[in-house]
Structures are given as structure tokens and as C-alpha cells.
Amino acid sequence: MSNCKKYIANRFKSLRNALKTYPVIKDPEALHQFRVEFKKLKALYLLAKSCHPDIPTSKSFKKIRKFYKESGMVRDSDIIGQLLEKNKISLTCPEAATAEAKKLKSIDRLCRHIPAILHAVRNFEKQLIRNTSRLTADCIKKYLSEKEAAIQYKIEHPDTAAVLHDIRKEIKRLKYTADMEPGFIQKRKLSRYNTLQDRIGNWHDKLVLIDYLEAIQPGNRRPINKLLEESSRNADAIKNSLLTLV
């Protein structure tokens, strides 16, 4: 796999840079970059584990994954802030101030853990390079084919909001895996997947904001009702567009 080692090295370089930058400037984009790079590396780790089940579970991976999950609350809060600004919604209630204070404490806790996470990252990089060196083109093609089949099944059965969100997550995993060796999936097909992923993402953002507003200011129905109407229309449009992919 000619591109594998270089691709992994670039992913880890970007991940480390994000982790080193975040405690200095608390930039939401640095945290976002760490999370994106970890998801890409996680996709390759799961690929290697699928192709070679004898690969032992990485303690370093589990440690980074735990940190990733803990960072989710901060990232969710960052997204909420962006969505409030995008939808021109201003909140000055005590609950919003409490949520912001909780976020700041979480940021401090994350920053304290970063030196230990950087150590785990070094170990995980060595393990992943070693494990992915055993991959073959046939194994990757089979894995991607299985992932596409899972996506297609969910596209044909978009019964609930959870299924639509699952489709988006599955597409991301598929894309992250395919990025390592371009050519395994047709560009036209990837483009259609990306469009679908973006549309589901925009729809899901509205659900996230609705949940937040319901928790913070349930009595302020005007923005909530507007978002409910928009999300319902978006969901219907997405489900109709899925018919073209069946």
C-alpha cells in the first residue's frame, strides 16, 4: 500500500499540532481538527482490526478514544455557539451562563490531560504503522464493499432520525478509509456520498439546536417551532433524495 505510511504520518502530524495548539489559544478549530484526524486514524485502525483480527487491542488507542469522547462535550458546546450565531438567536438566561461555566471547566480538564495524550499518540502511531503494513488491496476492497452494503441497506430503510444520522457516520467512516488509497471508490460515487452527508449534517445541526433550546429556554417557542418546521422539511427532502440512491 504505497500511500499508507505517508498518509498515516500526515494524519498524526496534524493531530499532534492540533493538540499542542489547543492549550495555548483554546481555538475551537484546533479541537475540531484533533477530532477529525482521530476519526480518520480510528477508521484505519478498525480496518486493520477487521482484516487481521489477531491484532491486539491498543491501550494507547483506548486512552486517546477516551479523551476524544471527553472532548465531545466541549465540541458540542462550540457547535451550539456557532448555530446560535448562524440562526441569530441570543441567549442571556442563567442556564446559558451555567453551561458556559461548565464548558470552561471541561476545557481546563482537557488541557491538563494533553501531555499524557501526546505520549499515547506516539505509541499509537508506531502500532498503527506496523498494523497497516499488513494490509492488502483485496482486504481493503472487501472491507469497503461491506461498508457500502451497510450504507445502502440504511438508505433503503430510512425509518427514523437515528438511521439518517447513522448513514452520515457510516459515510464518514467509508470516506476516511478510502482516502488512504484513492481509487478504491469512484469519484462520482464519493461526490454523491459527500453531498448526502452534508445535507444530513445540516439537518442534524437543527435537531441539536432544538434539543439545546428545549433544555435552556423551553418557554421560548418561537425559535424552537421555526427550527422544528425547517428540520421536518429537511428530513422529508433528504428521504426523497435517498430514492435516487436505491
Side-chain angles (χ1 to χ4, degrees):
M1 310 311 299
S2 57
N3 296 324
C4 184
K5 190 172 181 179
K6 182 179 180 181
Y7 177 82
I8 291 173
N10 287 338
R11 301 283 66 74
F12 273 105
K13 180 179 179 181
S14 180
L15 182 145
R16 277 193 294 269
N17 287 342
L19 283 175
K20 291 175 181 178
T21 298
Y22 189 66
V24 179
I25 59 176
K26 310 294 193 302
D27 181 13
E29 283 306 307
L31 185 64
H32 176 55
Q33 189 62 37
F34 156 74
R35 289 174 59 79
V36 170
E37 296 297 356
F38 176 70
K39 283 186 283 190
K40 291 179 179 180
L41 293 167
K42 177 184 175 182
L44 296 184
Y45 175 71
L46 295 177
L47 166 65
K49 292 275 285 181
S50 175
C51 292
H52 299 286
D54 60 313
I55 292 175
T57 300
S58 167
K59 292 182 180 179
S60 295
F61 168 78
K62 291 174 70 175
K63 189 170 186 177
I64 303 167
R65 183 181 60 185
K66 181 181 178 183
F67 179 84
Y68 167 85
K69 290 180 178 179
E70 291 171 350
S71 72
M73 194 282 285
V74 175
R75 179 58 187 164
D76 288 348
S77 181
D78 290 336
I79 292 173
I80 290 293
Q82 294 168 8
L83 293 175
L84 289 171
E85 183 177 352
K86 179 181 177 181
N87 289 274
K88 297 181 173 57
I89 299 173
S90 178
L91 296 178
T92 57
C93 57
E95 292 83 359
T98 299
E100 181 64 18
K102 185 178 179 180
K103 171 187 171 182
L104 293 176
K105 288 183 179 180
S106 295
I107 290 174
D108 287 341
R109 184 166 60 251
L110 288 178
C111 291
R112 289 197 301 271
H113 291 163
I114 283 177
I117 296 303
L118 285 168
H119 179 73
V121 166
R122 286 194 294 272
N123 291 334
F124 182 47
E125 182 174 12
K126 295 175 184 176
Q127 295 165 359
L128 191 58
I129 289 175
R130 182 171 64 251
N131 293 334
T132 52
S133 67
R134 303 169 58 189
L135 293 174
T136 65
D138 286 344
C139 178
I140 295 176
K141 288 178 181 177
K142 179 182 178 183
Y143 182 82
L144 292 176
S145 178
E146 291 172 351
K147 288 296 178 186
E148 282 201 90
I151 291 171
Q152 191 63 32
Y153 177 82
K154 289 177 180 178
I155 283 175
E156 294 170 5
H157 303 82
D159 314 281
T160 65
V163 172
L164 286 181
H165 189 46
D166 281 346
I167 290 172
R168 184 188 182 212
K169 291 191 290 185
E170 291 288 353
I171 288 174
K172 282 188 174 184
R173 294 189 189 105
L174 179 76
K175 183 177 181 297
Y176 292 154
T177 306
D179 281 349
M180 181 182 67
E181 287 284 343
F184 281 115
I185 298 179
Q186 295 177 348
K187 289 183 178 180
R188 186 175 66 176
K189 187 179 288 187
L190 276 177
S191 178
R192 291 169 70 190
Y193 280 149
N194 283 333
T195 299
L196 177 58
Q197 173 194 299
D198 289 342
R199 294 185 70 183
I200 295 175
N202 290 333
W203 161 79
H204 187 258
D205 283 347
K206 289 183 174 62
L207 297 189
V208 169
L209 187 53
I210 289 168
D211 286 345
Y212 178 78
L213 293 175
E214 289 277 17
I216 296 294
Q217 280 190 326
N220 187 6
R221 299 306 306 176
R222 185 174 179 180
I224 295 173
N225 291 337
K226 180 182 177 183
L227 288 165
L228 283 169
E229 291 174 5
E230 291 175 355
S231 67
S232 180
R233 289 196 300 269
N234 290 163
D236 289 341
I238 291 168
K239 289 178 181 179
N240 287 334
S241 72
L242 293 181
L243 296 175
T244 65
L245 298 175
V246 174

